[in-house]
Structures are given as C-alpha cells and as structure tokens.
Amino acid sequence: MPFADSRGVQLYYEEAGAGFPIVFVHEFAHALRSWEPQLRYFSRRYRCIAFNARGYPPSDVPASPSQYSQAIATDDIANVMRHLGIRTAHIVGCSMGGYATLHFGLRYARMARSITVIGAGYGSDPDKRAQFLRDTKVMALRFQDLGTPEAIKVYQVGPARVQLQNKDPRAFQEFCEEFAGHSALGSANTLRGVQAKRPTLYSLKRGLSRMRVPTHILSGDEDNNCLEPGIFIKRVCPAARLSVVPGTGHAVNVEEPDTFNRLTDEFFSLVDSGRWRPRDSRSIGKLTTAYRK
Amino acid sequence: MPYVSSNGVRLYYEEAGKGMPIVFVHEFSGDLRSWEAQMRHFSRRYRCVAFNARGYPPSDVPASPSKYSHVIATDDVANVMRRLGIGKAHVIGCSMGAYATLQFGLRYPRRALSLTAIGAGAGSDPARRAKFLRERAAMDRLFREQGMKAAAKVLQRAPHRVQLEIKDPRGAREFWEHFVEGSALGHALTMRGIQSRRPTLYSLGERFARMKVPTHIVVGDEDDGALGPGLFIKRVCPAARLTVARATGHLVSVEEPDFFNRITEDFLSLVESGRWRPRDPRSLNPSTMARKA
C-alpha cells in the first residue's frame, strides 16, 4: 500500500489518472473513499490524489492528541505533495478538509493553483461557538467510551446529514458503513486536536482579504453552520466565488456528485485557461444602483 | 400583437411551445425579451408565456401613479393566466418579477405549481433601507428629467450589474439596447409605485413560513442586496430551496442562461415527478452534531 511520510506519520494515499494534479482532502466523517465520484470523473483529465488524514487507517493513528492540529493537517497536504514530487495542484477539501484547504491557500499559496472549499464553517458562528465546543467534547468522549459504531449513531443523522439519507439511501448506507469502520482513537484525537482548537473562519479575515489563490466556496443550502461563513469569505476575499447548492446538506460532493463535478470542472477550466479573474472592484460598491449625485 | 387585459390595462405577451405552462415575470430593467434563452429552452417541453409588465411598451403605460403597485403587479400575473385559460403554472420571476412571483405564491398558492425567484430582496436590508429609498427617488427623477439613456448609464454601473458586461459583453450590449427602448414614464412610475412602496421580504416571514408552494430561490454571489433575503426565505420557509450562483450578479438567468436552465430543469422535474418534498424538520435541529439541543 502506498504511503507518504509526514513528520514520521505514514499517510495512506491513492492515485488515479495523469495530467495536472488535484489533491482531495476529506472531512471528519469520511475518508478518501468519499471522493470516489470525483476520482472517477476527474482522473480522465487530471492526476488525482486522495489521502487519508492521520487518525484514519490505513494511515497511522498517533496516540497523542498533540500530533493533531489544524497546522499539522495543513502541513500534511504539503508533505503528501512533496512525497509525490508535486509542486502545484488544485486542492479540493470538504468540511475539516475544507478548513485545511483554506489554510493551505493562506500558508502555501505558491503550491495551490486553486482551492475548492466545501462545507467549511462549523464552529465559526460566535453565537454557537460554545455549543460547538461542548458538542465536540461530548462526541470525543463518545468515541472514546462507546467505540465508533455506537458513537456515530446520532452524528450520522445530524441536521446536515439527513439530506443524504432522504435523497440517496444507497450512498447514505455506504457512508454509515464506512464511518463505522473509523478508528475511535483517531476520531477522538481529531475532534480534540483539530476541530476544537482550529481558529474560526472569521478570525482569518486579514489573511483571506489578501489571498490571491483562485477560490471556490461551496455549501449546501441546509448546512446552517456554513452559509454565513461562505458569504463572509465571498465578501472579504476578492479571489473567492461562492456556490450554494439547493436542497443539500454538508458533504456536497457526496450528496450531489454530478452538480459538484460540473461546477468544479467549470472552475478548473476557467483557472487552467488563464481566464479566471478576481472579483471586479466595481461590484463592491455600497450603492444599490450606482447612482451618485 | 397579442394582448390580455388586466383591470383595463393591456398587457403584451408572447407564447412558445406546448405542455405544462410556465409564466415568466421580468425585472425592472428588462422586459419579456430578457427571457429569450429560457423561452427557447423550455418551449421544447412546456407552454412558455412571457409578458411585459404595465409601463413597458407594447404594454400600456398608464399615466396615473395609482395604477402601479406590487399588489397590482401580482394580480397582473394572475390575470394573464386567466385570460389565457391557464389554471396552474410554474411561475418564474427575476428581481421585481421575483417579488411579484413570491407574492403570487402567498396570494394565489393554488394557481402556482412552483415558484422560481431570481435576485429578489433589493431594499429589504433594514440598515440600507433609507439609502435604498433615497436612490429610488433619485432614479425616479432621473427617468423623468433625463430619460432612458441617462438612466442606462447609471444602472449599467450598479455593483450587481457590472458582471454581465464583464463576462458577456454581447449579452450586455443587447440587454441595454433593449432597455433604452423602454418608456421613461413607465419606469419612473414603476420605480415610485412598486420598488419604493412594496413591503420588505423580511416583513413577510410569517406568511412565508406557512406557504407550501415548492419554491426555488436563486441569487448571484455578488448580488449583495439579495443574499441576505435569500438566506432568510430559505430559513423561514420549509418549501424553499436556495441556489447561489458563483461569480454572478443580479440577473442570473441573463448572465448564466445555461446554468439557470439546468438548475431550473432539475427543480421542475422534481416537482412534476411528485418527488419534491419540503425541508426535513430534522435538518433544523440547532445542534451542530445532532445532540439534542
């Protein structure tokens, strides 16, 4: 099995296709398998790489929570790329992986030709911050005490997951089965080290306002914790464009693979053809009709 | 030329295709010609009807301000349908027409198969309400005193309209050529009677919460005045789904006709197959991870 070394931690990855590289970064409740519809679609024209984060077997599961953080998760992307000799790539991440992708754009701008960020924002809303931290703590304890299959029973039918259950029961079934196989220790450590400690998106305002990497933010219209953060990024970052997908929850790429692939393909084409442009400053006026006396 | 009469005012309309009816309701700076890309696409499977609002020749331009209001604009949609023997239709509107479309859903729910509202909400934001009204008053004067060409110069530079010029100069040229053919009096009266006087979308929350007509809200990610209202309707109305179109301004159907036609086709298919469902109440659980709140 192929592994990339990231500071002594072995990260499992898979590759498909040839061409300009795309690196896929998965979310908390999924592993690289969740990118299957993207790997099959984009490998026709791109070199696709998906890897499992630390804590997600077959990747190593470090026992110490100090081995897990937002910064480390971001470095892991860079180290996978280095291992494969990739200097620059399109980076695509979902949720937790969306956060890592956004940080990658901020910290490794030269290694990102573009970034695609799906469903990022959990824990950012100041009004819900305390609850998010409580929820995260409780979930970490559940993984530790009950084991993964029991721990995820409430999580998998969370408010932004029921959409998948309603619209695509087969995909939902697969999601639950895969999720149940995750490492309880790895999941608990990820919750404590990455999710609970990462900075909110709002605190990244300064960096985002200067970031020049072409950015595509996507959110489901029922993913309540990601809607305002998405609009926030769109408004502060001239390099960002925002798509909201109707009747959709958290993992847009899993719930609506066709829509996601189409939107992403269009975005890559624009960037690859050199025709992508940042937001026109004339579109940021305060007046609603441009009327000046 | 085909006309229908609505309370004594003649409204010009065009028809294309056969099948289940769709009625298109245009925005302030467009007329029925703004729907050309939709008429050509949807007439393959639907009976498409587009009409010019009162104040937009060849429709009549009543000289009295009392002949223009959001209530009258909504009744005009119903009267066009009645005169053409259409019991129920999918109603699709943009901006001012989207507002009329949403009002149609509130007041004539049995006659709407579905509602599609593009870029609705200008003037709803309480913080910018006063400025919005000042600008409308100034535009009203501009139409009266300087005419269509002067107004076009101002409107073309609006922050949520420059996108069309940036991405599709040919489309933009045609759009504004059509605009200057319009009636300055009609636009001034529409500005005064409808835009400045209609209740804001936020004030209609309780009614949207009870509305059951399948609804698709479509907003460009650079249409600042419509993003907040779009999210608002998605959240208060269980029948609503929201699409945000990336790198797009006010006129999603004009700026991105292919994209708009595709997402609308998906939406109409869902409704017609009887598989459309309102939002699952489980998705409204305020917990971030499905713990009981």
Side-chain angles (χ1 to χ4, degrees):
Chain A
M1 286 209 273
F3 289 91
D5 179 281
S6 182
R7 293 202 233 163
V9 172
Q10 301 301 307
L11 300 176
Y12 173 72
Y13 67 89
E14 292 183 11
E15 270 195 278
F20 188 81
I22 307 175
V23 179
F24 293 96
V25 193
H26 69 78
E27 63 134 341
F28 174 75
H30 278 114
L32 69 77
R33 198 70 57 84
S34 60
W35 298 110
E36 198 60 37
Q38 284 69 49
L39 294 174
R40 292 186 184 195
Y41 179 84
F42 287 103
S43 59
R44 291 151 208 243
R45 199 151 67 83
Y46 291 92
R47 178 185 178 190
C48 298
I49 294 108
F51 70 99
N52 272 11
R54 52 181 65 210
Y56 292 75
S59 291
D60 285 351
V61 183
S64 160
S66 68
Q67 292 278 300
Y68 299 76
S69 76
Q70 183 66 75
I72 293 171
T74 310
D75 293 339
D76 283 348
I77 302 173
N79 288 332
V80 168
M81 287 171 66
R82 282 184 196 120
H83 173 82
L84 292 167
I86 294 169
R87 288 187 176 180
T88 169
H90 294 298
I91 317 289
V92 178
C94 181
S95 189
M96 174 177 91
Y99 267 97
T101 298
L102 202 57
H103 280 274
F104 190 87
L106 292 170
R107 289 181 45 214
Y108 295 96
R110 284 186 211 164
M111 292 176 72
R113 179 181 277 185
S114 79
I115 59 175
T116 299
V117 177
I118 307 157
Y122 273 75
S124 288
D125 182 351
D127 294 342
K128 286 183 162 180
R129 179 80 185 154
Q131 182 181 13
F132 172 78
L133 293 176
R134 274 199 309 276
D135 288 352
T136 305
K137 205 169 166 185
V138 168
M139 273 306 292
L141 278 171
R142 285 178 64 92
F143 275 104
Q144 188 182 305
D145 297 343
L146 305 173
T148 305
E150 190 58 32
I152 64 173
K153 278 189 179 154
V154 284
Y155 191 106
Q156 69 197 13
V157 286
R161 306 276 179 190
V162 294
Q163 295 80 4
L164 181 65
Q165 187 186 33
N166 288 336
K167 69 170 77 157
D168 187 353
R170 291 167 68 89
F172 181 73
Q173 178 72 20
E174 187 183 63
F175 159 63
C176 295
E177 284 166 12
E178 296 265 334
F179 195 7
H182 288 188
S183 157
L185 175 65
S187 298
N189 281 346
T190 301
L191 284 167
R192 288 174 178 142
V194 183
Q195 314 260 73
K197 292 194 183 147
R198 68 189 171 204
T200 74
L201 288 180
Y202 297 117
S203 71
L204 305 174
K205 183 173 178 182
R206 234 179 126 179
L208 288 170
S209 67
R210 293 176 184 169
M211 187 179 71
R212 304 238 163 99
V213 180
T215 297
H216 189 189
I217 309 289
L218 293 106
S219 170
D221 70 340
E222 298 186 358
D223 197 2
N224 266 320
N225 294 281
C226 300
L227 289 166
E228 272 87 2
I231 292 179
F232 167 78
I233 297 173
K234 170 68 199 177
R235 285 186 171 150
V236 300
C237 176
R241 51 184 60 201
L242 169 67
S243 289
V244 173
V245 180
T248 298
H250 193 47
V252 177
N253 54 307
V254 174
E255 263 185 56
E256 296 291 351
D258 286 5
T259 300
F260 176 78
N261 290 350
R262 217 153 56 189
L263 288 169
T264 304
D265 207 350
E266 282 171 13
F267 174 59
F268 288 164
S269 299
L270 201 59
V271 173
D272 293 342
S273 66
R275 289 294 303 278
W276 177 89
R277 283 198 286 179
R279 182 169 186 171
D280 190 306
S281 57
R282 289 175 297 162
S283 78
I284 310 176
K286 287 208 170 73
L287 294 170
T288 55
T289 54
Y291 187 83
R292 276 167 228 281
K293 286 185 184 165
Chain B
M1 285 211 271
Y3 290 93
V4 295
S5 165
S6 179
N7 297 322
V9 173
R10 291 185 322 149
L11 302 176
Y12 172 72
Y13 70 93
E14 293 183 8
E15 269 196 280
K18 288 176 184 160
M20 200 173 274
I22 304 179
V23 178
F24 292 97
V25 193
H26 69 79
E27 66 121 1
F28 177 75
S29 63
D31 57 29
L32 67 78
R33 291 174 291 182
S34 325
W35 298 111
E36 193 60 34
Q38 284 68 47
M39 297 286 276
R40 291 185 186 198
H41 179 80
F42 288 101
S43 59
R44 291 150 208 244
R45 198 153 70 82
Y46 291 91
R47 176 184 180 190
C48 297
V49 177
F51 69 98
N52 271 10
R54 53 180 67 209
Y56 291 74
S59 291
D60 287 349
V61 184
S64 158
S66 67
K67 293 282 199 188
Y68 298 78
S69 77
H70 74 275
V71 176
I72 293 171
T74 309
D75 292 339
D76 283 348
V77 179
N79 287 333
V80 167
M81 286 171 61
R82 229 172 254 143
R83 304 287 172 201
L84 294 175
I86 295 171
K88 290 182 177 198
H90 296 294
V91 183
I92 300 180
C94 183
S95 190
M96 175 177 90
Y99 189 91
T101 297
L102 290 170
Q103 286 280 352
F104 188 86
L106 294 174
R107 291 182 43 215
Y108 298 95
R110 286 188 209 161
R111 305 190 53 192
L113 292 167
S114 77
L115 310 172
T116 299
I118 307 160
S124 290
D125 181 357
R128 291 161 83 173
R129 179 80 184 154
K131 177 186 270 178
F132 175 82
L133 293 176
R134 277 199 306 276
E135 284 174 32
R136 299 303 122 166
M139 283 301 295
D140 174 1
R141 276 198 308 279
L142 183 68
F143 276 111
R144 283 166 200 285
E145 292 163 11
Q146 298 182 47
M148 295 304 287
K149 282 190 178 153
K153 277 189 188 154
V154 172
L155 286 173
Q156 276 166 344
R157 296 200 316 265
H160 60 336
R161 291 189 187 272
V162 294
Q163 293 81 3
L164 180 61
E165 169 68 35
I166 293 163
K167 65 170 84 159
D168 181 7
R170 291 168 67 87
R173 193 171 62 212
E174 183 187 62
F175 186 84
W176 295 108
E177 278 168 10
H178 288 171
F179 175 79
V180 298
E181 292 168 14
S183 156
L185 175 65
H187 279 80
L189 291 169
T190 301
M191 190 67 96
R192 202 196 294 177
I194 300 179
Q195 312 255 66
S196 305
R197 294 206 190 129
R198 64 189 175 205
T200 73
L201 289 178
Y202 294 125
S203 72
L204 303 171
E206 281 177 27
R207 295 177 68 194
F208 283 127
R210 294 193 300 265
M211 189 186 73
K212 304 231 164 96
V213 183
T215 298
H216 190 187
I217 307 291
V218 181
V219 185
D221 70 343
E222 298 185 1
D223 190 358
D224 270 319
L227 280 170
L231 270 191
F232 170 76
I233 294 176
K234 169 67 199 176
R235 284 187 171 144
V236 299
C237 176
R241 51 184 57 203
L242 169 69
T243 291
V244 175
R246 71 270 177 267
T248 299
H250 194 43
L251 308 171
V252 181
S253 48
V254 176
E255 267 183 51
E256 297 288 353
D258 286 5
F259 176 74
F260 176 77
N261 292 350
R262 217 153 56 193
I263 60 173
T264 302
E265 183 102 38
D266 285 351
F267 173 61
L268 300 184
S269 301
L270 199 60
V271 171
E272 286 163 26
S273 64
R275 292 292 304 277
W276 178 89
R277 282 196 285 180
R279 184 167 188 170
D280 186 324
R282 291 179 299 162
S283 76
L284 294 163
N285 183 336
S287 158
T288 56
M289 290 180 194
R291 221 160 42 87
K292 291 250 158 43

